[in-house]
Amino acid sequence: MIERGARTRPTTRTPQRSDVRLVSLVVPVYDEQDAIPPFLDRIAQVFATLGPGYRYEVIFVNDGSRDATEFVIRSRMQTDNHVSLVNLSRNFGKEAALSAGLDHAEGDACIPIDVDLQDPPELIPEMLEHWDRGAKVVNARRASRGSDTWIKRSSAAGFYRVFNVLADQSIPANVGDFRLLDRQVVEVLRGMGERVRFNKALFNWVGFETAEVTFERPERRTGNSAWSYWRLWNFALDGIFSSSTTPLRVWTYVGGTLAVLSMLYAFVIFLRTMIVGIDVPGYASTLILILLFGGLNLFAIGILGEYIARIYSEVRERPLYVLRSVHKAGGQG
Ligand code: UDP
Ligand code: MG
């Protein structure tokens, strides 16, 4: 099914119909009414500079917005035939919304992008250049995280460090969802059945020739980030537990080491009792050991719980998202 380099691309493009390639921008939106018009304007500007070799479509996935997001998108659809809208039945979270968007995108390449212009659309031409030269994935790496708070920066750095120690397949730091994915890669992603989806790691797991562009991440233009710290923490846990079984297996070694140490200690106590007799005081050390092992046991059980909860959500096989309606560019739907 997957043939490397099977498609040949002419270097000088005389735009015949078959040669005009479709680029799908996949945009999850949650309460973003003010961000949509400036976003569409910037995208139109960027593609206007690209010449006739590319067409584009913008697929908004309305992730259960409570404001006028749907209304704003649908009124833009009256005049802008690049825009499609996929409505989810409620808020499913950005990862599920992205999957919904990729499922509805028809492009030869798909680019997940944030609507708040923190992923600068001006990077798209550079990404397309790499794609033309044969890259199947083009990552966009943030050169710095200057626009983030100190807490967000250091927790992100900590996350990537822990993740890359634990996971079988490391992910590049500071590369978000903003990247170009060739159709071939999108098809592999769509075939991956898992419910707990940490897209960053999935994108990377697929492999293929990967290029990279870098950018400065600007501040959010309108509205607020919908990610609370608690949500980010859970997102990080999802990422680690869905990409690594190390936390599950490490307890064999922790338990084994502690068992060996306990036996040595038991031997020491035995010898002492034989030589100096029974020593009644020992309250503190007993208590410390009980607390230590009690804590370790609970912690290890908690880790088991994290995996079991995820296994549970996988075996239920609920759909990743529920569609309310789909409105294709051009009116029907
Ligand atoms: N988003 C979404 N569903 C959610 C939360 C966010 O579709 O439950 C969208 C949001 O509208 C935006 C993108 O995901 O287009 C990134 O969100 P945000 O800017 O809040 O994240 P940050 O830039 O802080 O990572
Ligand atoms: Mg943002």
Side-chain angles (χ1 to χ4, degrees), residues 38-318:
F39 172 79
L40 284 173
D41 295 342
R42 283 268 288 274
I43 295 292
Q45 276 168 24
V46 166
F47 276 89
T49 64
L50 274 174
Y54 303 97
R55 291 184 299 134
Y56 74 97
E57 59 170 1
V58 178
I59 300 189
F60 285 111
V61 183
N62 175 16
D63 189 15
S65 299
R66 298 154 299 182
D67 65 356
T69 296
E70 180 177 1
F71 176 78
V72 174
I73 294 171
R74 294 194 68 170
S75 43
R76 283 295 287 233
M77 286 175 74
Q78 310 283 332
T79 52
D80 189 340
N81 62 3
H82 297 285
V83 181
S84 295
L85 170 64
V86 174
N87 279 311
L88 303 188
S89 64
R90 62 169 170 83
N91 181 253
F92 279 88
K94 187 186 174 187
E95 304 293 298
L98 256 185
S99 302
L102 289 177
D103 287 345
H104 286 86
E106 286 166 9
D108 301 302
C110 295
I111 304 182
I113 181 169
D114 283 3
V115 73
D116 56 16
L117 294 173
Q118 284 190 291
D119 300 334
E122 288 69 27
L123 227 56
I124 292 173
E126 208 184 322
M127 291 172 134
L128 293 173
E129 257 170 52
H130 284 285
W131 183 45
D132 279 342
R133 279 191 240 118
K136 300 281 179 195
V137 177
V138 185
N139 292 336
R141 183 199 290 271
R142 295 176 209 175
S144 75
R145 282 183 162 252
S147 67
D148 283 348
T149 59
W150 176 82
I151 280 203
K152 216 167 167 183
R153 270 206 310 271
S154 45
S155 58
F159 168 75
Y160 286 113
R161 206 167 307 133
V162 172
F163 186 96
N164 287 337
V165 167
L166 293 178
D168 321 320
Q169 179 88 48
S170 61
I171 53 174
N174 297 332
V175 176
D177 292 326
F178 184 36
R179 59 184 85 197
L180 180 144
L181 305 165
D182 185 82
R183 168 61 35 196
Q184 210 175 1
V185 177
V186 173
E187 287 310 316
V188 178
L189 288 168
R190 292 185 57 200
M192 292 166 91
E194 53 219 275
R195 317 281 127 172
V196 178
R197 283 188 102 85
F198 188 67
N199 282 318
K200 265 191 247 244
L202 297 189
F203 291 165
N204 217 55
W205 181 89
V206 175
F208 291 107
E209 305 91 311
T210 303
E212 193 174 88
V213 295
T214 50
F215 70 108
E216 287 293 331
R217 195 163 205 243
E219 304 243 17
R220 209 175 210 289
R221 279 276 289 273
T222 56
N224 286 311
S225 172
W227 296 82
S228 64
Y229 284 111
W230 179 243
R231 212 166 163 182
L232 279 173
W233 165 251
N234 282 309
F235 184 57
L237 289 189
D238 268 349
I240 289 171
F241 290 128
S242 65
S243 307
S244 166
T245 53
T246 308
L248 199 54
R249 287 175 301 145
V250 73
W251 297 102
T252 317
Y253 302 99
V254 175
T257 311
L258 284 172
V260 170
L261 289 177
S262 310
M263 270 187 287
L264 290 178
Y265 188 52
F267 186 63
V268 169
I269 292 175
F270 176 74
L271 282 186
R272 250 180 69 156
T273 314
M274 296 306 278
I275 296 163
V276 289
I278 293 173
D279 195 10
V280 177
Y283 171 75
S285 56
T286 312
L287 197 68
I288 288 169
L289 286 177
I290 290 175
L291 289 177
L292 175 71
F293 283 94
L296 276 180
N297 272 320
L298 280 180
F299 188 65
I301 292 171
I303 298 278
L304 283 180
E306 293 287 345
Y307 282 95
I308 292 171
R310 284 171 179 77
I311 294 168
Y312 182 55
S313 64
E314 299 291 346
V315 298
R316 276 189 307 205
E317 292 200 21
R318 290 196 183 159

